[in-house]
Amino acid sequence: DWTINKNMSLMSRTNFSLQGNDPFSQSYGEQWGETAEGKGLPYEILYNGSQSSSRALRFSEFLQYRVKLGKPGRTISANIRYSFSNNDMDGLNRSLTQVFDVGTGVWSDDPVNQTYKQNSRNSSLSGRLVYTEPLGHDFFLEANYQYSWNRNTSYKKTDNILSDGSLEFDPTYSNRINNMAQNHRAGANISYQKEKFRAQLGASYNPTITDNVTTGHDPYHNVTHNWSPQAMLNYEFNDNSHIRFFYFGRSAQPSTSQLLPVPDNSNPLNIALGNPNLDPYFNHNVRGMFGYTNKKTFTSVNARFGASLVEDAITNAQWYDNGVQYSIPVNGPGTGS
């Protein structure tokens, strides 16, 4: 944190981390299905085991430059944020499932013996420019613009282990995805500040551009446009109590795992797939809080409330086929909480 002079300052923040993980799990399960005759029949997992080794690297850098432009309250600030992460995983997936054939009355074995390599990489770059101007009578105007760029790539290669120990490439459980998103946010706020009361009201225009290239699928391009109002109220009744209210909205991208259309068969009776055609979702949030603290009696009372509404919310569609449950993320109607 560097104060260059009384009107200029520069701040830098760097984060770096390395992580390793070697999980192992095994289980036994039994699941009952329903036949056309209404009879319940089990689909048994005699053995389900997985073992993996992962290595993750994460790095981020944040720079902020701020300048006072002479008149009290008139400032301009700019910040840049860059982040990078890389995750490599090597794993082994083994299971033995017994399935009952209603027509023949015979149990059959469905073994899985696979090894896989997976790489997930994320890069993001964003910048924000903010200008504030005093309007007089305790009013201030803020104009801001932010641009962010994000790229996710994921690659998974799966091989079946044959009886002689050799490996055979399995295209069903292998894929590559390249997802890129650009987000623009241009907005303006008007704020009012007094000794005990502060308020802010504003809005921003927020277009999001998504491009997705997945092996075996047509390229996907989507542009969404969102308006995001925002508001803040803060009132201090006295030195002991205050109340605050916030509203904000944001657009967010689905995760790489949600986009990757490769079945996850680590549990053969519960298979999850990704959806490369997912749209970004938009989240409206309302938050409020009340606080009271008496420093003489050490008494404190705090209350919080919140609500949210998600447009194009991502939820899971589920269905069953021959006793196996499948699930895939989809954009559904707005949901609230």
Side-chain angles (χ1 to χ4, degrees):
D1 192 1
W2 178 27
T3 302
I4 302 172
N5 54 46
K6 66 177 182 179
N7 293 322
M8 290 187 292
S9 63
L10 179 67
M11 183 185 71
S12 172
R13 184 169 65 243
T14 304
N15 291 297
F16 177 79
S17 68
L18 288 171
Q19 181 180 356
N21 196 14
D22 295 284
F24 170 79
S25 67
Q26 63 180 19
S27 63
Y28 167 83
E30 183 174 299
Q31 182 168 318
W32 291 81
E34 188 82 4
T35 68
E37 293 79 12
K39 299 178 181 179
L41 295 171
Y43 296 80
E44 295 182 314
I45 300 180
L46 298 183
Y47 174 79
N48 182 25
S50 64
Q51 184 175 1
S52 63
S53 174
S54 65
R55 300 160 301 281
L57 179 149
R58 294 179 177 87
F59 170 81
S60 67
E61 174 67 28
F62 176 78
L63 288 172
Q64 183 181 66
Y65 179 68
R66 191 169 184 269
V67 181
K68 298 178 182 179
L69 300 177
K71 186 177 181 180
R74 179 184 292 167
T75 63
I76 186 169
S77 63
N79 66 59
I80 297 176
R81 184 188 303 272
Y82 172 75
S83 65
F84 171 81
S85 65
N86 185 78
N87 193 326
D88 289 299
M89 179 180 293
D90 300 319
L92 186 65
N93 181 27
R94 287 177 174 172
S95 66
L96 176 60
T97 305
Q98 284 192 330
V99 181
F100 184 80
D101 190 312
V102 178
T104 62
V106 176
W107 288 90
S108 61
D109 292 342
D110 184 14
V112 174
N113 191 14
Q114 296 175 330
T115 180
Y116 63 87
K117 293 181 179 293
Q118 184 169 352
N119 173 265
S120 299
R121 183 172 296 186
N122 174 268
S123 299
S124 66
L125 179 66
S126 65
R128 189 168 190 261
L129 185 65
V130 179
Y131 174 78
T132 60
E133 175 69 22
L135 302 178
H137 304 287
D138 302 314
F139 282 93
F140 295 85
L141 172 68
E142 177 190 290
N144 57 77
Y145 171 74
Q146 178 174 313
Y147 171 79
S148 61
W149 173 88
N150 186 80
R151 181 178 180 179
N152 284 298
T153 60
S154 183
Y155 171 68
K156 184 176 183 180
K157 179 179 180 293
T158 301
D159 294 302
N160 293 313
I161 304 175
L162 304 181
S163 56
D164 60 359
S166 61
L167 300 180
E168 179 184 59
F169 177 70
D170 191 331
T172 302
Y173 299 101
S174 304
N175 212 318
R176 181 188 297 272
I177 186 171
N178 185 2
N179 175 259
M180 187 172 68
Q182 300 177 71
N183 187 276
H184 300 264
R185 181 185 290 267
N189 303 312
I190 292 181
S191 60
Y192 177 77
Q193 297 184 15
K194 293 292 286 186
E195 183 178 355
K196 293 186 176 183
F197 178 76
R198 289 178 306 196
Q200 186 180 77
L201 182 65
S204 62
Y205 172 56
N206 186 204
T208 301
I209 306 167
T210 305
D211 289 282
N212 191 21
V213 178
T214 306
T215 303
H217 293 75
D218 294 332
Y220 174 76
H221 176 77
N222 182 61
V223 180
T224 59
H225 302 271
N226 288 294
W227 283 96
S228 173
Q230 50 194 7
M232 183 274 292
L233 290 173
N234 182 70
Y235 182 71
E236 297 180 1
F237 299 98
N238 49 50
D239 292 340
N240 297 330
S241 59
H242 67 271
I243 188 170
R244 295 174 183 172
F245 172 85
F246 302 91
Y247 165 79
F248 57 92
R250 66 181 181 88
S251 178
Q253 296 291 319
S255 66
T256 304
S257 60
Q258 291 174 318
L259 292 167
L260 187 64
V262 176
D264 179 3
N265 64 335
S266 56
N267 183 343
L269 298 184
N270 189 357
I271 296 179
L273 303 95
N275 182 359
N277 295 318
L278 286 174
D279 291 331
Y281 59 91
F282 196 85
N283 197 350
H284 300 270
N285 291 278
V286 176
R287 297 289 182 267
M289 62 191 72
F290 170 80
Y292 170 80
T293 302
N294 190 320
K295 299 178 182 179
K296 294 182 179 180
T297 62
F298 297 100
T299 301
S300 65
V301 177
N302 294 279
R304 299 173 182 269
F305 72 90
S308 64
L309 174 67
V310 183
E311 298 180 44
D312 296 320
I314 296 177
T315 185
N316 282 326
Q318 297 179 342
W319 69 96
Y320 289 85
D321 184 21
N322 291 328
V324 179
Q325 175 181 287
Y326 295 87
S327 63
I328 187 171
V330 296
N331 288 106
T335 59
S337 64

PDB file of all heavy atoms in Angstrom, residues 302-329:
ATOM      1  N   ASN A 302     -28.556  -8.281  17.536  1.00  0.00           N
ATOM      2  CA  ASN A 302     -28.359  -8.171  16.095  1.00  0.00           C
ATOM      3  C   ASN A 302     -29.427  -8.978  15.370  1.00  0.00           C
ATOM      4  O   ASN A 302     -29.745 -10.106  15.771  1.00  0.00           O
ATOM      5  CB  ASN A 302     -26.976  -8.693  15.690  1.00  0.00           C
ATOM      6  CG  ASN A 302     -25.850  -7.828  16.232  1.00  0.00           C
ATOM      7  OD1 ASN A 302     -25.525  -6.795  15.662  1.00  0.00           O
ATOM      8  ND2 ASN A 302     -25.269  -8.251  17.347  1.00  0.00           N
ATOM      9  N   ALA A 303     -29.970  -8.393  14.322  1.00  0.00           N
ATOM     10  CA  ALA A 303     -30.965  -9.083  13.506  1.00  0.00           C
ATOM     11  C   ALA A 303     -30.618  -8.880  12.039  1.00  0.00           C
ATOM     12  O   ALA A 303     -30.219  -7.788  11.626  1.00  0.00           O
ATOM     13  CB  ALA A 303     -32.363  -8.537  13.802  1.00  0.00           C
ATOM     14  N   ARG A 304     -30.768  -9.939  11.256  1.00  0.00           N
ATOM     15  CA  ARG A 304     -30.471  -9.884   9.826  1.00  0.00           C
ATOM     16  C   ARG A 304     -31.606 -10.530   9.039  1.00  0.00           C
ATOM     17  O   ARG A 304     -32.257 -11.461   9.524  1.00  0.00           O
ATOM     18  CB  ARG A 304     -29.165 -10.617   9.511  1.00  0.00           C
ATOM     19  CG  ARG A 304     -27.940 -10.038  10.186  1.00  0.00           C
ATOM     20  CD  ARG A 304     -26.720 -10.928   9.950  1.00  0.00           C
ATOM     21  NE  ARG A 304     -25.538 -10.408  10.623  1.00  0.00           N
ATOM     22  CZ  ARG A 304     -24.660  -9.580  10.078  1.00  0.00           C
ATOM     23  NH1 ARG A 304     -24.829  -9.187   8.811  1.00  0.00           N
ATOM     24  NH2 ARG A 304     -23.620  -9.142  10.741  1.00  0.00           N
ATOM     25  N   PHE A 305     -31.824 -10.038   7.848  1.00  0.00           N
ATOM     26  CA  PHE A 305     -32.786 -10.678   6.957  1.00  0.00           C
ATOM     27  C   PHE A 305     -32.260 -10.588   5.530  1.00  0.00           C
ATOM     28  O   PHE A 305     -31.412  -9.752   5.208  1.00  0.00           O
ATOM     29  CB  PHE A 305     -34.173 -10.018   7.064  1.00  0.00           C
ATOM     30  CG  PHE A 305     -34.249  -8.641   6.453  1.00  0.00           C
ATOM     31  CD1 PHE A 305     -34.594  -8.476   5.115  1.00  0.00           C
ATOM     32  CD2 PHE A 305     -33.987  -7.508   7.216  1.00  0.00           C
ATOM     33  CE1 PHE A 305     -34.658  -7.217   4.547  1.00  0.00           C
ATOM     34  CE2 PHE A 305     -34.053  -6.243   6.655  1.00  0.00           C
ATOM     35  CZ  PHE A 305     -34.406  -6.089   5.318  1.00  0.00           C
ATOM     36  N   GLY A 306     -32.765 -11.470   4.694  1.00  0.00           N
ATOM     37  CA  GLY A 306     -32.313 -11.474   3.313  1.00  0.00           C
ATOM     38  C   GLY A 306     -33.291 -12.214   2.415  1.00  0.00           C
ATOM     39  O   GLY A 306     -34.067 -13.058   2.865  1.00  0.00           O
ATOM     40  N   ALA A 307     -33.271 -11.881   1.151  1.00  0.00           N
ATOM     41  CA  ALA A 307     -34.099 -12.547   0.153  1.00  0.00           C
ATOM     42  C   ALA A 307     -33.377 -12.479  -1.185  1.00  0.00           C
ATOM     43  O   ALA A 307     -32.572 -11.568  -1.423  1.00  0.00           O
ATOM     44  CB  ALA A 307     -35.479 -11.894   0.055  1.00  0.00           C
ATOM     45  N   SER A 308     -33.646 -13.430  -2.059  1.00  0.00           N
ATOM     46  CA  SER A 308     -33.006 -13.439  -3.370  1.00  0.00           C
ATOM     47  C   SER A 308     -33.966 -13.991  -4.415  1.00  0.00           C
ATOM     48  O   SER A 308     -34.856 -14.793  -4.112  1.00  0.00           O
ATOM     49  CB  SER A 308     -31.717 -14.279  -3.351  1.00  0.00           C
ATOM     50  OG  SER A 308     -32.007 -15.636  -3.085  1.00  0.00           O
ATOM     51  N   LEU A 309     -33.771 -13.542  -5.639  1.00  0.00           N
ATOM     52  CA  LEU A 309     -34.529 -14.029  -6.787  1.00  0.00           C
ATOM     53  C   LEU A 309     -33.542 -14.277  -7.918  1.00  0.00           C
ATOM     54  O   LEU A 309     -32.743 -13.395  -8.247  1.00  0.00           O
ATOM     55  CB  LEU A 309     -35.588 -13.008  -7.224  1.00  0.00           C
ATOM     56  CG  LEU A 309     -36.345 -13.351  -8.522  1.00  0.00           C
ATOM     57  CD1 LEU A 309     -37.214 -14.579  -8.311  1.00  0.00           C
ATOM     58  CD2 LEU A 309     -37.183 -12.164  -8.983  1.00  0.00           C
ATOM     59  N   VAL A 310     -33.582 -15.473  -8.491  1.00  0.00           N
ATOM     60  CA  VAL A 310     -32.645 -15.857  -9.544  1.00  0.00           C
ATOM     61  C   VAL A 310     -33.398 -16.005 -10.859  1.00  0.00           C
ATOM     62  O   VAL A 310     -34.361 -16.769 -10.945  1.00  0.00           O
ATOM     63  CB  VAL A 310     -31.924 -17.173  -9.200  1.00  0.00           C
ATOM     64  CG1 VAL A 310     -30.893 -17.507 -10.275  1.00  0.00           C
ATOM     65  CG2 VAL A 310     -31.248 -17.074  -7.839  1.00  0.00           C
ATOM     66  N   GLU A 311     -32.966 -15.252 -11.875  1.00  0.00           N
ATOM     67  CA  GLU A 311     -33.511 -15.392 -13.216  1.00  0.00           C
ATOM     68  C   GLU A 311     -32.666 -16.390 -14.001  1.00  0.00           C
ATOM     69  O   GLU A 311     -31.438 -16.385 -13.912  1.00  0.00           O
ATOM     70  CB  GLU A 311     -33.522 -14.048 -13.943  1.00  0.00           C
ATOM     71  CG  GLU A 311     -34.395 -12.986 -13.285  1.00  0.00           C
ATOM     72  CD  GLU A 311     -34.363 -11.686 -14.061  1.00  0.00           C
ATOM     73  OE1 GLU A 311     -34.443 -11.722 -15.300  1.00  0.00           O
ATOM     74  OE2 GLU A 311     -34.242 -10.619 -13.422  1.00  0.00           O
ATOM     75  N   ASP A 312     -33.324 -17.236 -14.803  1.00  0.00           N
ATOM     76  CA  ASP A 312     -32.644 -18.311 -15.544  1.00  0.00           C
ATOM     77  C   ASP A 312     -31.847 -19.190 -14.597  1.00  0.00           C
ATOM     78  O   ASP A 312     -30.709 -19.598 -14.888  1.00  0.00           O
ATOM     79  CB  ASP A 312     -31.725 -17.744 -16.636  1.00  0.00           C
ATOM     80  CG  ASP A 312     -32.499 -16.998 -17.709  1.00  0.00           C
ATOM     81  OD1 ASP A 312     -33.576 -17.480 -18.087  1.00  0.00           O
ATOM     82  OD2 ASP A 312     -32.023 -15.936 -18.156  1.00  0.00           O
ATOM     83  N   ALA A 313     -32.444 -19.490 -13.453  1.00  0.00           N
ATOM     84  CA  ALA A 313     -31.750 -20.270 -12.432  1.00  0.00           C
ATOM     85  C   ALA A 313     -31.348 -21.639 -12.971  1.00  0.00           C
ATOM     86  O   ALA A 313     -32.056 -22.245 -13.779  1.00  0.00           O
ATOM     87  CB  ALA A 313     -32.662 -20.448 -11.216  1.00  0.00           C
ATOM     88  N   ILE A 314     -30.189 -22.111 -12.537  1.00  0.00           N
ATOM     89  CA  ILE A 314     -29.709 -23.433 -12.939  1.00  0.00           C
ATOM     90  C   ILE A 314     -30.182 -24.461 -11.913  1.00  0.00           C
ATOM     91  O   ILE A 314     -29.879 -24.353 -10.722  1.00  0.00           O
ATOM     92  CB  ILE A 314     -28.180 -23.442 -13.064  1.00  0.00           C
ATOM     93  CG1 ILE A 314     -27.740 -22.494 -14.190  1.00  0.00           C
ATOM     94  CG2 ILE A 314     -27.673 -24.848 -13.343  1.00  0.00           C
ATOM     95  CD1 ILE A 314     -26.241 -22.382 -14.339  1.00  0.00           C
ATOM     96  N   THR A 315     -30.938 -25.427 -12.391  1.00  0.00           N
ATOM     97  CA  THR A 315     -31.426 -26.505 -11.542  1.00  0.00           C
ATOM     98  C   THR A 315     -31.190 -27.827 -12.255  1.00  0.00           C
ATOM     99  O   THR A 315     -30.796 -27.843 -13.429  1.00  0.00           O
ATOM    100  CB  THR A 315     -32.921 -26.319 -11.235  1.00  0.00           C
ATOM    101  OG1 THR A 315     -33.352 -27.318 -10.312  1.00  0.00           O
ATOM    102  CG2 THR A 315     -33.753 -26.388 -12.509  1.00  0.00           C
ATOM    103  N   ASN A 316     -31.411 -28.931 -11.571  1.00  0.00           N
ATOM    104  CA  ASN A 316     -31.141 -30.241 -12.148  1.00  0.00           C
ATOM    105  C   ASN A 316     -32.428 -30.906 -12.621  1.00  0.00           C
ATOM    106  O   ASN A 316     -33.410 -30.993 -11.871  1.00  0.00           O
ATOM    107  CB  ASN A 316     -30.448 -31.158 -11.134  1.00  0.00           C
ATOM    108  CG  ASN A 316     -28.971 -30.848 -11.001  1.00  0.00           C
ATOM    109  OD1 ASN A 316     -28.317 -30.464 -11.967  1.00  0.00           O
ATOM    110  ND2 ASN A 316     -28.427 -31.006  -9.806  1.00  0.00           N
ATOM    111  N   ALA A 317     -32.424 -31.360 -13.873  1.00  0.00           N
ATOM    112  CA  ALA A 317     -33.489 -32.225 -14.380  1.00  0.00           C
ATOM    113  C   ALA A 317     -33.069 -33.672 -14.136  1.00  0.00           C
ATOM    114  O   ALA A 317     -31.917 -34.036 -14.379  1.00  0.00           O
ATOM    115  CB  ALA A 317     -33.712 -31.974 -15.869  1.00  0.00           C
ATOM    116  N   GLN A 318     -33.996 -34.500 -13.661  1.00  0.00           N
ATOM    117  CA  GLN A 318     -33.680 -35.880 -13.316  1.00  0.00           C
ATOM    118  C   GLN A 318     -34.659 -36.832 -13.988  1.00  0.00           C
ATOM    119  O   GLN A 318     -35.831 -36.508 -14.180  1.00  0.00           O
ATOM    120  CB  GLN A 318     -33.731 -36.077 -11.794  1.00  0.00           C
ATOM    121  CG  GLN A 318     -32.701 -35.265 -11.035  1.00  0.00           C
ATOM    122  CD  GLN A 318     -32.807 -35.466  -9.537  1.00  0.00           C
ATOM    123  OE1 GLN A 318     -33.820 -35.932  -9.035  1.00  0.00           O
ATOM    124  NE2 GLN A 318     -31.746 -35.122  -8.814  1.00  0.00           N
ATOM    125  N   TRP A 319     -34.187 -38.012 -14.347  1.00  0.00           N
ATOM    126  CA  TRP A 319     -35.045 -39.060 -14.879  1.00  0.00           C
ATOM    127  C   TRP A 319     -34.400 -40.417 -14.584  1.00  0.00           C
ATOM    128  O   TRP A 319     -33.230 -40.506 -14.221  1.00  0.00           O
ATOM    129  CB  TRP A 319     -35.256 -38.879 -16.382  1.00  0.00           C
ATOM    130  CG  TRP A 319     -34.058 -39.118 -17.247  1.00  0.00           C
ATOM    131  CD1 TRP A 319     -33.730 -40.272 -17.910  1.00  0.00           C
ATOM    132  CD2 TRP A 319     -33.000 -38.186 -17.531  1.00  0.00           C
ATOM    133  NE1 TRP A 319     -32.556 -40.121 -18.600  1.00  0.00           N
ATOM    134  CE2 TRP A 319     -32.074 -38.854 -18.390  1.00  0.00           C
ATOM    135  CE3 TRP A 319     -32.742 -36.858 -17.164  1.00  0.00           C
ATOM    136  CZ2 TRP A 319     -30.928 -38.241 -18.862  1.00  0.00           C
ATOM    137  CZ3 TRP A 319     -31.593 -36.249 -17.631  1.00  0.00           C
ATOM    138  CH2 TRP A 319     -30.710 -36.938 -18.466  1.00  0.00           C
ATOM    139  N   TYR A 320     -35.204 -41.464 -14.725  1.00  0.00           N
ATOM    140  CA  TYR A 320     -34.758 -42.814 -14.419  1.00  0.00           C
ATOM    141  C   TYR A 320     -34.858 -43.681 -15.671  1.00  0.00           C
ATOM    142  O   TYR A 320     -35.787 -43.539 -16.468  1.00  0.00           O
ATOM    143  CB  TYR A 320     -35.610 -43.439 -13.314  1.00  0.00           C
ATOM    144  CG  TYR A 320     -35.366 -42.825 -11.947  1.00  0.00           C
ATOM    145  CD1 TYR A 320     -36.043 -41.678 -11.553  1.00  0.00           C
ATOM    146  CD2 TYR A 320     -34.453 -43.397 -11.063  1.00  0.00           C
ATOM    147  CE1 TYR A 320     -35.823 -41.113 -10.317  1.00  0.00           C
ATOM    148  CE2 TYR A 320     -34.221 -42.837  -9.816  1.00  0.00           C
ATOM    149  CZ  TYR A 320     -34.913 -41.690  -9.455  1.00  0.00           C
ATOM    150  OH  TYR A 320     -34.683 -41.137  -8.230  1.00  0.00           O
ATOM    151  N   ASP A 321     -33.909 -44.592 -15.822  1.00  0.00           N
ATOM    152  CA  ASP A 321     -33.910 -45.529 -16.934  1.00  0.00           C
ATOM    153  C   ASP A 321     -33.261 -46.826 -16.469  1.00  0.00           C
ATOM    154  O   ASP A 321     -32.083 -46.835 -16.083  1.00  0.00           O
ATOM    155  CB  ASP A 321     -33.151 -44.946 -18.126  1.00  0.00           C
ATOM    156  CG  ASP A 321     -33.212 -45.843 -19.353  1.00  0.00           C
ATOM    157  OD1 ASP A 321     -34.130 -46.684 -19.420  1.00  0.00           O
ATOM    158  OD2 ASP A 321     -32.344 -45.709 -20.239  1.00  0.00           O
ATOM    159  N   ASN A 322     -34.049 -47.906 -16.447  1.00  0.00           N
ATOM    160  CA  ASN A 322     -33.549 -49.215 -16.007  1.00  0.00           C
ATOM    161  C   ASN A 322     -32.907 -49.159 -14.626  1.00  0.00           C
ATOM    162  O   ASN A 322     -31.840 -49.730 -14.385  1.00  0.00           O
ATOM    163  CB  ASN A 322     -32.552 -49.782 -17.022  1.00  0.00           C
ATOM    164  CG  ASN A 322     -33.214 -50.177 -18.325  1.00  0.00           C
ATOM    165  OD1 ASN A 322     -34.380 -50.601 -18.332  1.00  0.00           O
ATOM    166  ND2 ASN A 322     -32.497 -50.023 -19.427  1.00  0.00           N
ATOM    167  N   GLY A 323     -33.569 -48.446 -13.728  1.00  0.00           N
ATOM    168  CA  GLY A 323     -33.091 -48.384 -12.356  1.00  0.00           C
ATOM    169  C   GLY A 323     -31.969 -47.414 -12.107  1.00  0.00           C
ATOM    170  O   GLY A 323     -31.511 -47.282 -10.968  1.00  0.00           O
ATOM    171  N   VAL A 324     -31.493 -46.709 -13.137  1.00  0.00           N
ATOM    172  CA  VAL A 324     -30.400 -45.749 -12.988  1.00  0.00           C
ATOM    173  C   VAL A 324     -30.980 -44.333 -13.014  1.00  0.00           C
ATOM    174  O   VAL A 324     -31.798 -44.000 -13.868  1.00  0.00           O
ATOM    175  CB  VAL A 324     -29.363 -45.915 -14.113  1.00  0.00           C
ATOM    176  CG1 VAL A 324     -28.237 -44.893 -13.961  1.00  0.00           C
ATOM    177  CG2 VAL A 324     -28.799 -47.324 -14.114  1.00  0.00           C
ATOM    178  N   GLN A 325     -30.547 -43.499 -12.064  1.00  0.00           N
ATOM    179  CA  GLN A 325     -30.977 -42.107 -12.033  1.00  0.00           C
ATOM    180  C   GLN A 325     -29.963 -41.251 -12.793  1.00  0.00           C
ATOM    181  O   GLN A 325     -28.767 -41.313 -12.538  1.00  0.00           O
ATOM    182  CB  GLN A 325     -31.081 -41.589 -10.600  1.00  0.00           C
ATOM    183  CG  GLN A 325     -31.423 -40.094 -10.529  1.00  0.00           C
ATOM    184  CD  GLN A 325     -31.496 -39.583  -9.108  1.00  0.00           C
ATOM    185  OE1 GLN A 325     -32.431 -39.870  -8.385  1.00  0.00           O
ATOM    186  NE2 GLN A 325     -30.483 -38.803  -8.705  1.00  0.00           N
ATOM    187  N   TYR A 326     -30.472 -40.448 -13.738  1.00  0.00           N
ATOM    188  CA  TYR A 326     -29.648 -39.518 -14.500  1.00  0.00           C
ATOM    189  C   TYR A 326     -30.044 -38.092 -14.125  1.00  0.00           C
ATOM    190  O   TYR A 326     -31.211 -37.813 -13.826  1.00  0.00           O
ATOM    191  CB  TYR A 326     -29.851 -39.722 -16.006  1.00  0.00           C
ATOM    192  CG  TYR A 326     -29.387 -41.056 -16.523  1.00  0.00           C
ATOM    193  CD1 TYR A 326     -30.223 -42.164 -16.502  1.00  0.00           C
ATOM    194  CD2 TYR A 326     -28.101 -41.216 -17.038  1.00  0.00           C
ATOM    195  CE1 TYR A 326     -29.796 -43.396 -16.983  1.00  0.00           C
ATOM    196  CE2 TYR A 326     -27.665 -42.436 -17.521  1.00  0.00           C
ATOM    197  CZ  TYR A 326     -28.522 -43.524 -17.486  1.00  0.00           C
ATOM    198  OH  TYR A 326     -28.095 -44.736 -17.951  1.00  0.00           O
ATOM    199  N   SER A 327     -29.080 -37.185 -14.167  1.00  0.00           N
ATOM    200  CA  SER A 327     -29.362 -35.781 -13.867  1.00  0.00           C
ATOM    201  C   SER A 327     -28.512 -34.892 -14.783  1.00  0.00           C
ATOM    202  O   SER A 327     -27.377 -35.261 -15.126  1.00  0.00           O
ATOM    203  CB  SER A 327     -29.091 -35.450 -12.396  1.00  0.00           C
ATOM    204  OG  SER A 327     -27.718 -35.619 -12.084  1.00  0.00           O
ATOM    205  N   ILE A 328     -29.076 -33.728 -15.135  1.00  0.00           N
ATOM    206  CA  ILE A 328     -28.364 -32.768 -15.976  1.00  0.00           C
ATOM    207  C   ILE A 328     -28.814 -31.355 -15.578  1.00  0.00           C
ATOM    208  O   ILE A 328     -29.999 -31.130 -15.313  1.00  0.00           O
ATOM    209  CB  ILE A 328     -28.659 -33.037 -17.476  1.00  0.00           C
ATOM    210  CG1 ILE A 328     -27.786 -32.135 -18.366  1.00  0.00           C
ATOM    211  CG2 ILE A 328     -30.129 -32.878 -17.802  1.00  0.00           C
ATOM    212  CD1 ILE A 328     -27.868 -32.507 -19.848  1.00  0.00           C
ATOM    213  N   PRO A 329     -27.886 -30.395 -15.490  1.00  0.00           N
ATOM    214  CA  PRO A 329     -28.299 -29.027 -15.140  1.00  0.00           C
ATOM    215  C   PRO A 329     -28.986 -28.349 -16.309  1.00  0.00           C
ATOM    216  O   PRO A 329     -28.578 -28.492 -17.468  1.00  0.00           O
ATOM    217  CB  PRO A 329     -26.965 -28.341 -14.792  1.00  0.00           C
ATOM    218  CG  PRO A 329     -25.933 -29.127 -15.535  1.00  0.00           C
ATOM    219  CD  PRO A 329     -26.427 -30.533 -15.583  1.00  0.00           C
TER     220      PRO A 329
END
